[in-house]
């Protein structure tokens, strides 16, 4: 039993000694976390390979508050009512049109798009450059 307590205590020390990110200025909801608006709690500059950098704040994070995976989300590439390119690709055939996004989505997330020509709703997956691959 005492060995479990010792292991738990050492794990706690390891986690508490690891540096975490805090906001160096106000990060508004929807803004991206960057090395400019977040620092390590030790005051050291944040590198771009930090997992939270590049994510979007879910809510306003005030200076000095922690920046975590829980209060951020993947950056949205498509916003509601945004005009997007919709592509259908099958073999050598590629059909491309424009549509209006009915919701917001990040990379590889599903989104519903209103085809502006046919007025039909199409389901698709957001791709790297913000276009939607129709299914």
């Amino acid at each position: 039993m005492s060995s479990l307590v010792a292991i738990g205590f050492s794990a706690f020390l390891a986690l508490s000694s690891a540096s975490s990110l805090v906001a160096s200025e106000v990060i508004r909801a929807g803004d991206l976390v960057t090395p400019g608006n977040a620092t390590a709690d030790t005051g050291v500059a944040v590198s771009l390979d930090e997992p939270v950098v590049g994510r979007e704040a879910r809510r306003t994070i005030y200076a000095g508050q922690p920046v975590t995976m829980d209060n951020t989300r993947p950056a949205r590439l498509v916003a509601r009512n945004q005009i997007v390119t919709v592509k259908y690709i099958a073999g050598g055939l590629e059909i491309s049109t424009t549509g209006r996004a009915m919701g917001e989505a990040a990379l590889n997330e599903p989104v519903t798009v209103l085809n502006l020509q046919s007025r039909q709703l199409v389901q698709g997956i957001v791709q790297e450059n913000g276009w939607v691959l129709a299914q």
Side-chain angles (χ1 to χ4, degrees):
M1 177 71 168
S2 64
S3 62
L4 288 176
V5 172
I7 291 172
F9 184 68
S10 63
F12 171 75
L13 288 177
L15 290 175
S16 63
S17 66
S19 65
S20 59
L21 295 182
V22 293
S24 58
E25 61 185 45
V26 175
I27 305 172
R28 305 231 181 265
D31 288 351
L32 294 180
V33 176
T34 65
N37 60 16
T39 60
D41 60 358
T42 58
V44 179
V46 176
S47 66
L48 290 174
D49 59 340
E50 196 63 48
V52 177
V53 172
R55 291 175 60 92
E56 185 178 294
R58 289 183 189 270
R59 59 173 181 78
T60 301
I61 304 169
Y62 295 98
Q65 288 185 330
V67 181
T68 64
M69 295 297 268
D70 291 336
N71 61 9
T72 60
R73 63 181 177 196
R76 301 295 172 198
L77 295 178
V78 173
R80 181 174 167 81
N81 290 326
Q82 177 182 343
I83 302 297
V84 295
T85 300
V86 180
K87 293 182 183 179
Y88 175 78
I89 301 172
L93 175 69
E94 180 178 317
I95 300 172
S96 181
T97 188
T98 56
R100 181 177 307 275
M102 300 282 88
E104 57 183 27
L107 178 64
N108 294 326
E109 286 185 352
V111 66
T112 302
V113 178
L114 174 67
N115 182 325
L116 294 178
Q117 293 176 340
S118 68
R119 296 291 184 201
Q120 295 292 315
L121 292 176
V122 177
Q123 294 290 322
I125 303 293
V126 176
Q127 302 300 305
E128 197 167 325
N129 294 330
W131 60 276
V132 177
L133 177 62
Q135 299 176 334

